[in-house]
Amino acid sequence: MATEVTKEFTQGLPKAELHLHIEGTLEPELKLKLAKRNGIDIGQETIEEVKETYNYNDLASFLAVYYPAMNVLQKEEDFYDLAMDYLRRAAKNNVRHVEIFFDPQAHTSRGIAFETVINGLYRATVDARALNIDARLIMCFLRDLSRESARKTLEESLQYKDKFIGVGLDSDEHNNPPMKFFNQFTEATKHGLHVTAHADIDQKNSIEHIRELLEVIGVERVDHGTNIVEDPDLVEFAAKKEIGFTSCPLSNSFVTPFMKGKEVLELLSKGVKVSIHSDDPAYFGGYVSDNYYAIADKYNLTKEQVVKLARNSFETSWISTEQKSIYIEELEKYAKEN
Ligand code: ADE
Ligand code: ZN
């Protein structure tokens, strides 16, 4: 039996996007345009040639394509254009609120100033108001770099503290447990920043990493993290504490053989606040509505389940209770009328 959910329904669904790497929205068109503008030879000249380089089947092979591409991002205007391109797409997906990840170390390590990155991105989040989107930034630490690099990055970022709302943790998880960054998470919390972190799919020690995040570091959300289903006690804990789990079906099906829809449905049924997002949409074949539709289609989701996933996205976002109620009311009205 086919799902009752249509592509149009997922597109118009009011939603919050909470797991979106801005560097992962760099579409081949913009990559080529920026390469030309900045006089950078990326080794490809057409969209087809760029797409031919998109060969990956796990996290490490994806990251090996992802980081070198960022070299086309040089000036404040480039970061602004990158974010505005994404935000225009988000508006078409009826994203009402977005919390955007950015990786300063991927840029400062190539000689681009922190200020260049954050000012370009921040200006786009301000201009997003004209698109009726409330956009915020989350600064991620690259977990495969040193603690000292993360410490320096956090220290430098604090002078721009009014321009981002939280910290995250991403990049290669292999042998890089969350506890490596315990001090940075503690320090960030002291400064009033929110805290989330990736627990990528099917990693060595996935469950231990999720346990560290929930029981020791005290994150508010886990990015991916569906391996938690392997530990019923942790699932119960996550449900009780209303921890958000940001799942990305299309990205999952690139870096593992599965979309992890079964795990998402299990978490949903156990009262965990799991939600659907797009991760690196320019690399994984779809924006957030495509991700909703992909999981709905493959796992035969009901409209009610899809609406619940969207509701969870608002409930676990870092906005005021009043603002959450406004968005949820909008969502309920949409669900009733469509
Ligand atoms: N950086 C960009 N996308 C990522 C992902 N899915 N996991 C870890 N690091 C990332
Ligand atoms: Zn991610």
Side-chain angles (χ1 to χ4, degrees):
M1 200 182 76
T3 176
E4 59 179 334
V5 174
T6 62
K7 278 192 184 165
E8 293 68 35
F9 183 79
T10 63
Q11 178 125 15
L13 187 74
K15 53 182 85 67
E17 170 103 278
L18 307 178
H19 185 162
L20 181 278
H21 301 263
I22 200 64
E23 294 88 350
T25 69
L26 181 57
E27 289 285 347
E29 291 83 348
L30 185 63
K31 199 182 281 182
L32 290 167
K33 183 174 141 188
L34 295 181
K36 207 166 177 191
R37 191 157 97 187
N38 292 322
I40 290 167
D41 180 7
I42 57 167
Q44 302 101 37
E45 291 192 351
T46 64
I47 291 167
E48 291 67 38
E49 283 173 10
V50 173
K51 285 191 176 154
E52 273 166 27
T53 67
Y54 290 5
N55 289 318
Y56 23 81
N57 54 13
D58 58 17
L59 181 59
S61 57
F62 162 66
L63 294 173
V65 174
Y66 182 66
Y67 288 120
M70 294 179 200
N71 206 21
V72 301
L73 298 163
Q74 294 281 331
K75 307 201 175 79
E76 185 181 314
E77 208 58 24
D78 304 337
F79 289 93
Y80 175 84
D81 288 350
L82 174 69
M84 276 320 286
D85 258 26
Y86 162 69
L87 288 161
R88 278 188 282 267
R89 287 194 165 86
K92 287 191 191 135
N93 281 253
N94 208 13
V95 171
R96 305 288 291 105
H97 172 80
V98 54
E99 296 173 7
I100 299 174
F101 292 138
F102 71 107
D103 285 341
Q105 291 155 293
H107 312 299
T108 52
S109 61
R110 336 179 253 114
I112 311 294
F114 190 104
E115 185 184 23
T116 302
V117 180
I118 199 157
N119 285 349
L121 297 178
Y122 183 72
R123 193 152 52 82
T125 66
V126 173
D127 290 353
R129 290 177 202 156
L131 300 169
N132 205 21
I133 300 182
D134 171 34
R136 308 286 154 150
L137 295 172
I138 300 175
M139 178 181 77
C140 289
F141 301 115
L142 298 187
R143 68 199 305 162
D144 45 352
L145 299 189
S146 67
R147 292 178 179 82
E148 180 54 14
S149 175
R151 189 194 65 74
K152 280 194 194 139
T153 301
L154 181 60
E155 187 176 74
E156 182 170 18
S157 74
L158 291 175
Q159 59 189 301
Y160 306 100
K161 217 185 76 183
D162 55 336
K163 294 194 162 96
F164 66 104
I165 59 169
V167 296
L169 183 67
D170 62 7
S171 202
D172 196 354
E173 187 166 334
H174 190 77
N175 291 340
N176 292 302
M179 285 304 279
K180 178 175 167 186
F181 300 95
F182 179 75
N183 289 346
Q184 278 62 53
F185 284 124
T186 307
E187 185 68 14
T189 308
K190 261 196 232 155
H191 286 277
L193 291 162
H194 291 282
V195 175
T196 185
H198 278 57
D200 269 279
I201 304 295
D202 298 345
Q203 296 291 301
K204 184 182 103 179
N205 302 331
S206 271
I207 271 295
E208 278 323 301
H209 292 184
I210 294 169
R211 189 189 310 283
E212 287 173 12
L213 290 173
L214 297 186
E215 295 188 345
V216 189
I217 295 169
V219 292
E220 298 160 81
R221 296 198 297 254
V222 179
D223 300 306
H224 302 297
T226 45
N227 285 81
I228 194 173
V229 297
E230 295 159 24
D231 187 324
D233 280 351
L234 273 184
V235 171
E236 203 180 320
F237 179 85
K240 198 160 131 223
K241 295 274 182 190
E242 303 192 347
I243 308 292
F245 283 73
T246 62
S247 189
C248 309
L250 291 175
S251 139
N252 290 345
S253 54
F254 267 85
V255 299
T256 77
F258 304 103
M259 224 180 251
K260 302 291 175 188
K262 252 177 63 194
E263 289 79 353
V264 167
L265 287 174
E266 182 176 338
L267 292 175
L268 206 55
S269 74
K270 295 198 166 144
V272 174
K273 295 211 180 294
V274 61
S275 54
I276 298 300
H277 308 280
S278 66
D279 210 0
D280 301 283
Y283 292 91
F284 294 133
Y287 283 78
V288 64
S289 307
D290 304 318
N291 275 274
Y292 272 93
Y293 184 72
I295 191 171
D297 187 42
K298 176 113 186 157
Y299 294 89
N300 198 19
L301 265 56
T302 62
K303 272 191 186 174
E304 197 184 340
Q305 286 171 318
V306 167
V307 170
K308 177 69 179 156
L309 290 165
R311 188 186 176 101
N312 287 345
S313 74
F314 289 122
E315 285 181 347
T316 58
S317 69
W318 296 336
I319 54 179
S320 68
T321 315
E322 294 74 31
Q323 193 57 52
K324 279 183 195 177
S325 312
I326 292 170
Y327 289 138
I328 288 168
E329 212 171 284
E330 196 181 318
L331 173 66
E332 281 170 353
K333 184 165 179 285
Y334 180 84
K336 216 182 268 169
E337 291 172 1
N338 288 276

